[in-house]
Amino acid sequence: MNAWHFVTRFGEAQILLPAALLVGLLLASRPEGRPAASRWLAGLVLATGLTTLTKIAFIGWGIGSASLNFTGVSGHSMYASAIYPVLLAACAELLLGRGRMAAALLGAVIALVVGVSRLAVDAHSVSEVIAGFVVGGAVSLAVLFAEHWHTPRLQRWLQGGALAAMALWLFGATSYAPPSPTHALVTRIALRLSGHEHPYTRAQLLHTLREPLDLPTARL
């Protein structure tokens, strides 16, 4: 596994969602943290639905944009930008009681690196990565700038143990977990819904740009 393939794993749903769930449970364990946890969960559900719909639309029916080289929102970029800023902001306040926005900015940088990795491994186009960053970033902003952002004060052993478990999970799963099956699952759903035997591909989409225009010859 080269460096970019390792980095891109930090955007996989199967790796990020359990970490987000753990921190979300920490936030929701006290009443003052529940608004932020609820808003984060709702945002993740909506962003996941939107991202999945764009993928199904293309795989099943070929709905995309050849000029933008767009076949669907990048799920890795979306999850990274929706989770890392909030994840690190929550960790900063749980552990230090301050530094929320600085930690969120670091999370955004990590998400940006994950997006670059999707380009480096030739998994997505620029437009797809940007779309993922925008959709996920909207989720983070909706949480971080909510009127009632609160992180509960928990016992130190609970905070430290849970956050250590989260860190171990992120790095351990990134190194040893099997590849994510989400793309294959979405493909099966798209084919079942569309009734087609084969998925549409990026090559088919871009072929429309390479076809010569069939224009009538001008009379001189």
Side-chain angles (χ1 to χ4, degrees):
M1 181 186 296
N2 64 36
W4 282 120
H5 280 91
F6 177 74
V7 170
T8 206
R9 298 215 67 191
F10 282 91
E12 288 185 11
Q14 65 173 353
I15 293 172
L16 276 181
L17 289 177
L21 177 62
L22 179 58
V23 173
L25 289 174
L26 283 179
L27 291 176
S29 62
R30 296 289 180 86
E32 63 268 29
R34 287 171 191 166
S38 299
R39 188 179 290 255
W40 197 19
L41 175 61
L44 286 172
V45 170
L46 290 174
T48 298
L50 175 61
T51 299
T52 304
L53 284 176
T54 63
K55 292 177 180 294
I56 289 175
F58 177 74
I59 294 171
W61 289 272
I63 299 173
S65 172
S67 60
L68 295 176
N69 192 9
F70 183 83
T71 66
V73 175
S74 167
H76 284 63
S77 298
M78 183 277 289
Y79 280 118
S81 56
I83 290 177
Y84 281 117
V86 180
L87 194 71
L88 295 188
C91 290
E93 289 212 356
L94 285 168
L95 290 175
L96 305 175
R98 63 181 185 278
R100 169 166 59 100
M101 296 314 297
L105 181 60
L106 176 60
V109 172
I110 294 173
L112 182 60
V113 173
V114 170
V116 171
S117 76
R118 300 307 286 163
L119 301 176
V121 302
D122 200 26
H124 282 291
S125 67
V126 173
S127 64
E128 293 161 358
V129 168
I130 291 175
F133 198 82
V134 169
V135 172
V139 174
S140 287
L141 290 175
V143 178
L144 293 168
F145 290 98
E147 183 178 357
H148 301 291
W149 165 276
H150 293 290
T151 52
R153 296 190 178 277
L154 305 173
Q155 295 179 354
R156 288 190 178 276
W157 67 268
L158 177 60
Q159 292 178 188
L163 298 181
M166 180 202 71
L168 288 173
W169 165 258
L170 283 175
F171 285 95
T174 302
S175 301
Y176 301 109
S180 175
T182 52
H183 182 72
L185 176 61
V186 171
T187 298
R188 287 198 298 271
I189 293 173
L191 294 180
R192 178 65 63 86
L193 292 175
S194 66
H196 295 145
E197 293 184 4
H198 303 288
Y200 281 88
T201 65
R202 189 183 302 275
Q204 289 174 295
L205 179 72
L206 297 181
H207 180 70
T208 61
L209 292 178
R210 295 192 294 268
E211 291 179 341
L213 293 176
D214 186 17
L215 298 176
T217 302
R219 294 180 178 273
L220 297 179

